Amino acid sequence: MSRSEKADKIRRVMETDGENVAESVRGKSDKTGAVIDSFEPYEQYREEARRIKEEAIESLPERIDEVTEAVEENGGQVYLAQDAEDANQYIEGVMADRGADHIAKSKSMTTEELELNDHLEAAGYKITETDLGEFIIQQADETPSHLVGPAMHRSPPDIAELFNEMFDLEEPLSADPQELTQFARERVGDRIRDADVGLTGANFVVTETGTICLVTNEGNARKTAVTPPAHIAVAGIEKLVPTVSDLQPFVELIAKTGTGQDITSYMSLLTPPVETDSVDFETDTYGPAEDRSFHLVLIDNGRMAMREDDDLRETLYCIRCGACSNACANFQSTGGHAFGGETYSGGIGTGWEAGVYGLDSAADMNDLCTGCSQCVPKCPVKIDIPWINTVVRDRLNHSREPESMDFLVDGLTPDEEPSGLDIQKRVFGNIETFAKLGSIAPTLSNAAIESGTVQKLLDRFAGIDSRRELPTLADETLVEWAAGRPNPNPDADREIVLYPDLYTNYFSPERGRAAVRVLEELGVSVRIPSVPESGRAPLSQGMIDTADGKASAVYAALSEHIDAGRDIVVIEPSDLAMFQNEYERLLPAESADRIADVSYELFEYLYGLLENGAEVDALPTVDGEALTYHSHCQQRTLELDPYTTEVLSRAGYEVTETDVECCGMAGSFGYKSEYYELSMEVASRLDDQLPETGPVVASGTSCGEQIAALTDDETPHPITLLDPDAR
Amino acid sequence: MGTDIVAQFTDSAMETVDSCTRTDPDGFEETLAELVAEPAVGAPLPSESVSLEDTVVDTDPSVEELSAAETGVTQAGTAIADYGTVTVESRPGGDELVSLYPPRHIVILEADDIVPDATAAFDRFETQVREARENGTAGATRVLETGASATGDMGGLVSGVHGPTEVHIVVIEA
């Protein structure tokens, strides 16, 4: 898809689905946040859940043997399907052998992956989806827009219109959810009674006992499993866990992170074939439990290869609760029809799509992960979802064929990437190179950038949206300013390095200068050596090798300072997040730890100084001035935003902090022409939280740019409020 | 088992069920009679202290009677105080069908079956599943039930989908 086709598609999905998805997932996101916050053992159970999954995937071949033995001992059968075709053939065979013609299904994303319905329909079987959400999209012939709520892109009036169209009703249905539910449950209920075979998914499968765990609210899975005399359960091989007690942390987490409930209405722990008689409503007789048949169909379909893949393996720990979708600003504005592939959606969907269908299926959705990391603390099994998206992006970069214009930028950019890399990604990933070049003659460069011609060229060839105002280069970089400047605290006990991040150094040195003066006023000796860009810029474009090189260069530039006992203070939160998190993946563990251990966010550090004897009165203070503060997504994931609020409060500000997931800019994302409109839609939720008048400050550079675009006002970094020179 | 855990269970359960009544074996039949909507079907109660024998509840319903029933009465297995969760054990007496098809589910729970949390409950389930498989007896299958069946798929939370619309719990304290 071209950039404009992508923009068109996103615009279309935002129009049709956006509003309904937003209402539903934002509600869930708020609820899950509150439930998680009040659930004291949350972190402990996440650790346990993660460990259980890690061990189960590690021992997968033995687990498969074990569950096969257990299910057969129970009187059921197990089939290990290599791929979708294999699984579909087997299920069709079960239907044929039983002389069945109607199968009732409870919700199963894995059968969506297999396209089982299409297969069985083509073979002449009747299929009823019994989950009401699935029932809706089955009628509409649509794909799920969310892992958990497949029809959340449809409003009650949409659903009423669909049902009125599909069914020949004497009285048309109204848009009342009660009435719609009543109607659908009767239709579906009749069909479950008529079905010959019931098919369920499985949230978990216990290998020791052959017990399958189904997590539901509607009760349809219970009826589907128990009413007909034959039950087929379809499960990816990643669903296996060793023992019944291993289910406990998952049972406690899955509803909390997924829907914001404490626990779902039903958690079935079935060890089929079950001892309940089946029910034949046609003949009004029970079928003896002894005659029940059960088939467990385990699906590989790329999973064994994912298990061997060091970067995609984590995807297999996913329990498909949808938390990452709910927490995602871009998902909230679009849903799975834009942020989704063939079957799977949201942040983790990229890993699933790449794993089960191949890279191409993940290509379009992948860019919608901006790496903001708001999903990370919500994932019940602690999957590094942004990393999976980065890896998939990197692989896509390497698989792309070069285009004719690419040589232009190729020659300019000394990166480690293949020549097929998208020019837009290459420009953003090498922003340091352009900033360096431009700052040789900043006035000239700025004049060029601000000229309509250059903006048009950038839009056309690099996909940098001309509706954006591009940041301008400063006359003097922060490093240049600091060089030769006298140190007022040469004998200070505390000596730090203020990291001259790319944005502060080239574009906004005033916030760096303010930081220096504040730190010095509080008795710190500050150094600003020349240190390369952290690697955040290339990493966000999926340029992992280039980011890796940056990380090494940063480590080389900082290690002597670390040896000298200097703390590293960072202004730009996305760079601090690199030091704290991503460097683990790019540097040897010891090097990454050394940087992480001594690096601090600026206000985190100021807070530490104030707690250790420094006086806030040394800085300019106010008396109860109202202030709106927008923190930065990655800063919030690191739980560092409270320090800014606290320090500003001590300086006399009445701080209101925004709580939207993301500003929508997310580094380079909002500058890209195909995503500009989505970026502004996401920003509209932040706009709702901004005051009519009054000052707004933001920790992140791109957040500040976005807010400035919304309010037409400068949005400085909060440190500028404390600058002694501003007194 | 102390009364505290019963109170804790009752408090949690009331977040999701329609009623949760504490009574003793003597008060059982009267309490049940107030909750039952007829026709009512049930599965035989394993309890030694209470029984459905002298009640209006039919414990051997035909398929037709199951379909027509307004109320299903079953005895719960392990219950979890933290969540107000009860367990429908799959017994040959048809507990699963009786608790699933009628719109009102009345759960009989002996206070002794309440455990504090999910950790304790799953330890029990693990033992019960193992024993059932070893001995070839019932006990390997159960459904944890917390409130009525519900959906959000039609916009807004609606109670009563494929499972019961109402759940009433009767806790029997010796």
Side-chain angles (χ1 to χ4, degrees), chain A residues 133 185 208 223 245 252 256 271, chain B residues 83 126 130 140 153 160 162:
Chain A
R185 96 169 157 211
E208 182 199 332
K223 277 192 174 160
S245 57
E252 301 221 39
K256 294 186 179 76
T271 311
Chain B
Y83 290 98
E126 182 161 280
R130 278 183 188 150
D153 286 344
H162 300 296

Side-chain angles (χ1 to χ4, degrees), chain A residues 45 70 73-74 130-133 156 159 177-178 181 184-185 188 193 208-209 217-220 222-223 227 243-245 247-248 251-252 256 262-271 274-277 279 281 284-286, chain B residues 61-64 66-67 83 85 88 90-92 96-97 99-101 118-119 122-123 125-126 129-130 133 137-151 153-156 158-165:
Chain A
Y45 289 161
E73 212 175 280
N74 296 339
T130 64
D131 172 86
L132 295 192
I159 299 166
Q178 288 277 0
T181 302
R185 96 169 157 211
V188 171
R193 290 166 187 238
E208 182 199 332
T209 59
N217 280 310
E218 293 182 2
N220 60 311
R222 292 177 68 187
K223 277 192 174 160
T227 307
T243 66
V244 169
S245 57
L247 296 172
Q248 173 263 329
V251 162
E252 301 221 39
K256 294 186 179 76
D262 279 325
I263 191 167
T264 56
S265 299
Y266 304 120
M267 296 267 180
S268 299
L269 306 178
L270 311 174
T271 311
V274 297
E275 47 274 90
T276 302
D277 288 347
V279 196
F281 286 92
D284 274 335
T285 52
Y286 293 106
Chain B
S62 66
V63 171
E64 221 167 332
L66 175 72
S67 280
Y83 290 98
T85 299
V88 176
S90 284
R91 304 186 183 107
E96 172 65 356
L97 297 173
S99 65
L100 185 56
Y101 272 92
T119 307
F122 274 80
D123 283 346
F125 299 149
E126 182 161 280
V129 175
R130 278 183 188 150
R133 292 184 75 244
T137 53
T141 289
R142 58 190 41 72
V143 176
L144 279 64
E145 175 181 317
T146 312
S149 76
T151 187
D153 286 344
M154 301 289 173
V158 178
S159 268
V161 193
H162 300 296
T165 308

Side-chain angles (χ1 to χ4, degrees), chain B residues 24-56:
Chain B
D24 58 18
D26 291 339
F28 167 68
E29 285 183 14
E30 196 187 325
T31 306
L32 183 69
E34 281 170 19
L35 295 170
V36 162
E38 291 187 66
V41 298
L45 309 182
S47 169
E48 287 174 7
S49 61
V50 294
S51 155
L52 296 174
E53 251 169 59
D54 300 324
T55 67
V56 295

Side-chain angles (χ1 to χ4, degrees), chain A residues 459-505:
Chain A
D459 197 330
R460 182 157 168 214
F461 292 108
I464 297 171
D465 202 286
S466 55
R467 286 165 285 188
R468 287 285 180 195
E469 200 169 308
L470 297 176
T472 51
L473 291 158
D475 292 339
E476 184 186 39
T477 67
L478 181 65
V479 173
E480 286 165 355
W481 172 80
R485 188 174 165 276
N487 180 356
N489 303 323
D491 304 320
D493 292 341
R494 289 182 194 277
E495 207 185 2
I496 64 136
V497 167
L498 183 68
Y499 174 63
D501 66 84
L502 173 76
Y503 310 99
T504 304
N505 192 39

Side-chain angles (χ1 to χ4, degrees), chain A residues 299-475:
Chain A
I299 310 296
D300 180 342
N301 206 29
R303 287 164 174 79
M304 274 298 184
M306 291 167 80
R307 179 174 171 265
E308 301 293 326
D309 184 323
D310 285 342
D311 291 306
L312 288 188
R313 184 184 307 125
E314 269 195 298
T315 308
L316 296 172
Y317 307 156
C318 168
I319 60 172
R320 306 204 177 152
C321 69
C324 52
S325 297
N326 301 342
C328 173
N330 280 343
F331 191 96
Q332 289 178 358
S333 289
T334 55
H337 291 152
F339 196 169
E342 301 274 333
T343 301
Y344 296 104
S345 54
I348 195 63
T350 308
W352 282 117
E353 290 285 325
V356 305
Y357 298 112
L359 276 180
D360 283 350
S361 291
D364 286 333
M365 67 189 292
N366 175 238
D367 270 355
L368 293 198
C369 173
T370 64
C372 83
S373 75
Q374 287 288 293
C375 55
V376 172
K378 296 284 188 76
C379 175
V381 283
K382 305 183 72 159
I383 299 173
D384 191 344
I385 294 161
W387 181 256
I388 290 173
N389 279 276
T390 304
V391 167
V392 169
R393 194 166 303 149
D394 182 73
R395 291 180 187 177
L396 283 162
N397 290 344
H398 281 83
S399 71
R400 196 173 161 275
E401 294 296 320
E403 281 173 21
S404 57
M405 292 302 294
D406 288 355
F407 73 93
L408 270 179
V409 190
D410 262 13
L412 277 173
T413 50
D415 59 38
E416 308 291 327
E417 307 301 320
S419 56
L421 177 64
D422 178 56
I423 187 170
Q424 180 192 57
K425 290 192 162 70
R426 179 154 274 157
V427 168
F428 282 115
N430 285 290
I431 193 76
E432 184 179 29
T433 305
F434 294 108
K436 262 187 192 160
L437 276 174
S439 69
I440 295 169
T443 318
L444 199 63
S445 312
N446 289 335
I449 288 170
E450 282 164 13
S451 81
T453 320
V454 170
Q455 281 237 324
K456 269 188 202 132
L457 283 171
L458 284 172
D459 197 330
R460 182 157 168 214
F461 292 108
I464 297 171
D465 202 286
S466 55
R467 286 165 285 188
R468 287 285 180 195
E469 200 169 308
L470 297 176
T472 51
L473 291 158
D475 292 339

